[in-house]
Amino acid sequence: VESGKWVGPAKSAAAGEVAEVNSELVANPELANEDPYEKGWFVILKPNDWDAVKSTLTPGAQVTAQYEAKMAADGFDGCA
């Protein structure tokens, strides 16, 4: 992944086979920021052992309070 200030690997919680790459994102990288939950996806991954990985993931709704507390402690008001 390459951004304006950083270049590095995109990490995944699961090992597996990349089944599809978002060619629209490759052609228009701004989609990752403009529409991350719809058109800005990176890849479709076929996990090697989904059942083992699934139990290690935390739904976003369960981590929101932790992130908000961290931002408050750091004095970060958001990216508005």
Side-chain angles (χ1 to χ4, degrees), residues 2-72:
E2 181 176 343
S3 73
K5 296 181 180 181
W6 181 82
V7 175
K11 297 180 181 181
S12 172
E17 175 187 345
V18 174
E20 187 175 344
V21 174
N22 184 353
S23 58
E24 187 176 355
L25 180 65
V26 173
N28 184 10
E30 291 83 15
L31 287 175
N33 290 327
E34 294 169 0
D35 195 7
Y37 299 106
E38 295 293 330
K39 294 182 179 181
W41 59 274
F42 282 41
V43 299
I44 294 176
L45 182 72
K46 289 184 179 179
N48 292 337
D49 188 358
W50 175 241
D51 290 332
V53 172
K54 185 177 177 181
S55 66
T56 68
L57 301 176
T58 304
Q62 292 180 9
V63 297
T64 302
Q66 294 170 346
Y67 281 112
E68 288 176 349
K70 170 74 171 134
M71 289 188 302

